[in-house]
Structures are given as C-alpha cells and as structure tokens.
Amino acid sequence: MAVFLTDEWFSEVDRLTAEAGDLNLPPALANTKINLKITNTANGDVNAALENGVLKKGETDATTTINIDQETLKAIALKGDMNEAMNAFMSGKIRIDGDMGQVMALQTAKPSVEQKDLFKKIYAMTEQA
C-alpha cells in the first residue's frame, strides 16, 4: 500500500501502467494533456499531469491546469465519481486555468476496459486512510 500522491505512489502507478501495456484509450483521452496543481497533501503542494490516460508526477506541456485539493482529486480520480467533480467545480474546489475544452472532453470520454482495470489496480494499492 502506498500513500496517495507520494513518490512511492507515483512509482507504483508508473510500474502498474507499464505492466498494463496498451490502454486502448478513446481519442478524447489519448490526446488530452492536463497539468494538475494539487494542494493539501502530506508533502505540501504536488504537481502532476494527466497524460495518455494516466496520472504522472510532474508537469507536461499542457495548455490547461486544474487546481484541486487532494481529497477532491482522490474522490474523482480513484473512485471515478464524476458527480463529485461537478459539485467540486460548482463550489469552487476546482479551478481551471487555460483551455476549458480539454476538461470538457474528459466529461464525455468513456474509459476503456484496460484503463478501468488499471484504475482498479491503482485504487487497490492506494492506502485508504
């Protein structure tokens, strides 16, 4: 088990992603690059990026940045709760800088079976404290 958004967690996500191979992503996910600035983590603020359908540590050359706190990201990313995403956005817990179209594309994109399997493995190895 690894604590969400720690270096150990990102390393394990990278390993699981490599093991998963081709995620058979729909174009809306395969072509999306979004940076995330995550606040309120045990290690301070964390920069990450959603690229090629997976969350990676660090930033990418994205034109969009989502500012979000750790608990909100955990509810959305690990539990797949899109209602939580909309509620968080409407209440100001999520702020988007840049190309809003990148984020809107995520709302309609359906994850592949392979991506869902990867997310299940990531969720299972994430400490739920």
Side-chain angles (χ1 to χ4, degrees), residues 37-89:
K37 295 203 181 287
I38 308 148
T39 59
N40 298 330
T41 78
N43 298 325
D45 293 351
V46 172
N47 291 325
L50 179 64
E51 187 173 13
N52 299 322
V54 293
L55 192 63
K56 301 176 180 186
K57 186 173 183 180
E59 295 181 276
T60 187
D61 60 346
T63 59
T64 305
T65 300
I66 296 175
N67 298 279
I68 189 170
D69 67 87
Q70 175 179 306
E71 287 307 309
T72 304
L73 177 62
K74 195 172 191 180
I76 296 166
L78 294 180
K79 297 176 184 171
D81 188 345
M82 292 316 287
N83 288 329
E84 176 66 24
M86 186 56 69
N87 290 338
F89 180 75

